[in-house]
Amino acid sequence: PFQDLNVRKAFDAAIDRQAIVDNVIGSGKVPNGIIVDSCIGYNPDLTGYAYDPELAKQLLAESSYDGSPIQLTCNTSLLKGEQILLAMSEMLNAVGFNTSIAVVETATLADMRKTGDYDAFMVANMHGTNDPGQTLTVRILSDGHHSYYNNEELFELIRQSNREVDVAKRTEIIQQLAALMDQEHAPHSAICQMELTYAVDKGVTGLELYSDGWFNLKHVTHE
């Protein structure tokens, strides 16, 4: 079903991400894409995910979707994963989708991703050192999740970002590809941007902390 752009647009418009953040997760904020505001290449001009169930119904009616079952899957290690998927499924079904959820073992989901044997799945993701390069390369360009999404324009922008060493130029390239993903509603859709809280021993020095949850231990000392 997700080969149809209108299905992807309807999927995003049907989900009230703010309600999930407020009432299910209980923290964080709604991002405007998978490249969040702590990252190189964050694009503040993107409209992001507007909740509009009436638009979702219209887009779905104009799409090729025939009511086929769609399974939303997460693994057992994802915090509040089942609750998030239940909320999403209810919202999606309200506009005309036919979804159900499955919570599987981590190894089972890994096997599903290796073969592409899934409809849609949800995982947590971090951009190491505030750089989206690994996510863009492994999960999209190399299709590590076997989504079989194909967009040569997007792929070439990722290749360019990987080759570019000038930070300003690379930022511009990543902003361009973020805008393209926003237009395409693919291949990934973000639900919540978590806000990390650290507890640090006062004797620790040289610890570099990143807002996405990663940290640099290269120069750490402790007194």
Side-chain angles (χ1 to χ4, degrees):
F2 296 107
Q3 290 180 353
D4 189 323
L5 176 58
N6 275 344
V7 172
R8 301 197 300 269
K9 287 182 175 180
F11 185 92
D12 275 339
I15 300 171
D16 187 346
R17 289 164 172 79
Q18 192 62 58
I20 291 174
V21 167
D22 293 340
N23 303 316
V24 180
I25 302 174
S27 65
K29 60 184 177 182
V30 178
N32 70 356
I34 67 164
I35 301 173
V36 296
D37 56 15
S38 62
C39 282
I40 295 171
Y42 170 69
N43 191 335
D45 297 328
L46 301 183
T47 56
Y49 309 106
Y51 173 54
D52 191 336
E54 293 306 314
L55 176 62
K57 291 177 183 178
Q58 177 185 335
L59 289 166
L60 205 59
E62 295 171 356
S63 77
S64 59
Y65 180 61
D66 60 1
S68 298
I70 295 174
Q71 181 173 286
L72 311 176
T73 306
C74 72
N75 62 42
T76 52
S77 66
L78 185 63
L79 183 65
K80 295 190 176 181
E82 182 175 12
Q83 296 96 315
I84 296 169
L85 288 188
L86 284 170
M88 289 174 56
S89 180
E90 183 176 344
M91 295 168 185
L92 290 164
N93 293 347
V95 304
F97 282 96
N98 177 16
T99 68
S100 61
I101 77 159
V103 182
V104 300
E105 295 296 328
T106 301
T108 301
L109 182 57
D111 288 339
M112 294 167 66
R113 285 159 40 179
K114 286 178 184 177
T115 61
D117 185 22
Y118 60 83
D119 298 319
F121 69 85
M122 181 174 63
V123 291
N125 182 52
M126 290 184 181
H127 298 298
T129 64
N130 294 345
D131 192 311
Q134 183 179 24
T135 293
L136 296 173
T137 300
V138 175
R139 298 195 176 195
I140 299 178
L141 181 61
S142 300
D143 196 17
H145 292 328
H146 296 87
S147 70
Y148 303 110
Y149 173 75
N150 186 30
N151 186 316
E152 187 54 40
E153 182 182 0
L154 176 60
F155 295 166
E156 180 55 29
L157 285 170
I158 296 173
R159 295 187 194 102
Q160 290 178 24
S161 73
N162 288 342
R163 293 192 298 263
E164 184 56 66
V165 295
D166 182 281
V167 175
K169 292 179 180 178
R170 185 162 179 263
T171 295
E172 184 178 342
I173 293 169
I174 296 175
Q175 287 179 335
Q176 290 177 26
L177 65 87
L180 180 57
M181 285 191 284
D182 183 64
Q183 295 168 15
E184 280 280 286
H185 292 259
H188 298 160
S189 180
I191 299 298
C192 175
Q193 177 183 349
M194 300 304 294
E195 297 169 341
L196 277 298
T197 301
Y198 293 95
V200 181
D201 189 303
K202 291 183 179 180
V204 173
T205 60
L207 177 61
E208 188 174 4
L209 306 176
Y210 302 105
S211 58
D212 61 5
W214 286 69
F215 39 85
N216 187 347
L217 302 174
K218 187 175 181 179
H219 304 292
V220 169
T221 59
H222 184 270
E223 298 177 359

